[in-house]
Amino acid sequence: MGKLKTRTFVLLFLLLAAVCVLWLFLQPRGSAQTVRVLLDGETAAEIDLAAVTEPYTLPVGEHNVLEVTRGGVRMLKSDCPDGSCLRQGTAEPGKPVICLPNRVVVEATGKKASDVDAVVG
């Protein structure tokens, strides 16, 4: 009877561990909840992404235009010389979109996606 209890315990433990690992991997990755747009260091707009129903554009100052979707905010147009802000993609927590010449910062807040690729040990 002792071996059966041990095997049952080990089996239940492995099953519980597998469920925990699956739960961790199936959790939605972190995404921005709110996006704040700064122009010259002042808040020009705050956008609640959960409230966005249709994509729209948002002019920021005279030089930049943002594209706002439920999935995030990215720089759509800019007249800065190098255009690097156009290639930065969508603002994410910890990864803002910055147009330095025009002094525009698009920063996302919310749960940051995990930077961990694997756990060994």
Side-chain angles (χ1 to χ4, degrees):
M1 194 72 172
K3 270 189 169 183
L4 185 58
K5 284 185 179 180
T6 305
R7 285 183 184 167
T8 304
F9 176 74
V10 170
L11 182 61
L12 286 175
F13 177 77
L14 291 174
L15 184 63
L16 181 64
V19 167
C20 289
V21 168
L22 282 173
W23 181 76
L24 287 173
F25 282 105
L26 295 178
Q27 287 293 313
R29 295 291 177 199
S31 62
Q33 304 297 320
T34 308
V35 175
R36 184 168 52 168
V37 181
L38 303 170
L39 177 62
D40 291 327
E42 306 275 329
T43 300
E46 281 206 36
I47 304 162
D48 179 10
L49 294 179
V52 176
T53 56
E54 295 287 323
Y56 64 92
T57 58
L58 176 68
V60 181
E62 300 175 13
H63 306 285
N64 298 74
V65 177
L66 300 175
E67 178 183 45
V68 180
T69 65
R70 190 173 183 98
V73 178
R74 71 179 186 96
M75 193 72 66
L76 184 63
K77 294 179 185 172
S78 178
D79 65 0
C80 61
D82 64 354
S84 65
C85 58
L86 300 172
R87 296 184 297 276
Q88 291 177 20
T90 302
E92 298 175 10
K95 184 187 150 216
V97 174
I98 301 171
C99 183
L100 209 53
N102 296 329
R103 299 180 303 279
V104 175
V105 177
V106 180
E107 57 185 14
T109 59
K111 211 166 135 184
K112 185 176 180 183
S114 174
D115 293 333
V116 178
D117 289 332
V119 177
V120 179

